[in-house]
Amino acid sequence: MEVAGAILDRLYPDWAQQNIPELGADEPEQEVRDAVRRLIVRLDYQNELIERLGGTDTEPQISARSLHPLVWKAATAQWSTGHRHEAVLAAAKAVNSLLQKKTRRRDCSEGELIKQAFSHNPPEQGKPRLRYDRISNEQTAKSMRIGVMDFGAGCFGAIRNPIGHLPNDEVELDEQSALERLCALSLLARWIEEADLLTA
């Protein structure tokens, strides 16, 4: 059953919602069997559908597994149980931990820390800075620093804070909204990793 469930998750993501067993049925097994039957029919008719609908979908798609490993690892457990806003919250906390580890700071976090880390001020004792010194063009390096600072503050302010502070029923996310937030956090994590640490 575990193998069948994993295959269904990959090829038929909505299978659990669309295959509710009848009352009195052996629920887990019946649900999986019904979903497998539907998936087989879908696969049998897939080529015919592609021909009739004019070819395959050529739009790019994002796989959750291609997100920054830290972000997806933090989100996976909650995502797999359908708790998408908790998954996004866990990912945001993981990015904050990455930032704290990179800057070797525990005295502040999230929006305040990212503003300090990417501040234009030179590094101070106990307050290192993050820069993009490997970018040869000074103006571009400056733009990158400011952009990541603002983007990071936006991620913590508009993604992490509402999920962390509002009641669950006010922040429940559909799959697309949650995935978009994970993508933003993934990008932020990559930019933090790529930054150079400057110490006093």
Side-chain angles (χ1 to χ4, degrees):
M1 283 296 173
E2 286 183 23
V3 174
I7 293 170
L8 288 167
D9 287 341
R10 175 65 68 88
L11 300 177
Y12 184 4
D14 298 328
W15 70 272
Q17 292 81 21
Q18 295 179 4
N19 295 275
I20 299 169
E22 297 176 10
L23 289 174
D26 187 4
E27 292 185 13
E29 288 79 11
Q30 185 64 45
E31 184 180 2
V32 172
R33 277 196 294 273
D34 290 346
V36 167
R37 286 190 196 101
R38 284 195 170 104
L39 177 59
I40 290 169
V41 171
R42 284 183 178 196
L43 293 174
D44 283 345
Y45 288 99
Q46 187 173 21
N47 289 336
E48 182 182 342
L49 286 172
I50 288 171
E51 287 176 20
R52 290 182 183 223
L53 295 174
T56 59
D57 186 357
T58 58
E59 294 176 2
Q61 295 182 357
I62 292 178
S63 165
R65 291 193 176 124
S66 67
L67 296 174
H68 188 286
L70 179 112
V71 167
W72 184 237
K73 182 179 179 184
T76 301
Q78 297 291 347
W79 189 278
S80 66
T81 58
H83 297 97
R84 289 182 288 269
H85 70 280
E86 287 99 336
V88 174
L89 180 59
K93 289 179 178 179
V95 174
N96 177 63
S97 294
L98 173 67
L99 179 62
Q100 288 182 316
K101 184 177 179 183
K102 179 97 177 191
T103 58
R104 304 171 194 155
R105 293 187 65 181
R106 293 283 184 264
D107 58 312
C108 66
S109 63
E110 299 179 351
E112 182 57 33
L113 180 54
I114 204 156
K115 288 175 189 174
Q116 290 188 31
F118 286 98
S119 164
H120 72 279
N121 295 330
E124 302 171 26
Q125 194 66 38
K127 293 182 178 180
R129 307 296 181 203
L130 296 177
R131 300 285 185 267
Y132 294 97
D133 290 341
R134 285 173 280 182
I135 297 175
S136 58
N137 182 284
E138 188 177 329
Q139 184 58 45
T140 302
K142 178 183 175 184
S143 295
M144 186 73 183
R145 175 186 62 77
I146 294 169
V148 174
M149 178 176 65
D150 292 343
F151 182 79
C155 284
F156 288 121
I159 296 175
R160 190 267 185 254
N161 286 346
I163 292 173
H165 301 304
L166 293 174
N168 286 357
D169 60 341
E170 289 187 39
V171 293
E172 188 56 58
L173 302 171
D174 60 47
E175 186 171 306
Q176 181 65 29
S177 298
L179 187 56
E180 288 170 359
R181 285 161 173 78
L182 290 179
C183 288
L185 292 167
S186 175
L187 182 56
L188 178 57
R190 292 189 197 282
W191 280 338
I192 291 170
E193 274 192 344
E194 291 167 5
D196 303 304
L197 184 71
L198 272 64
T199 57

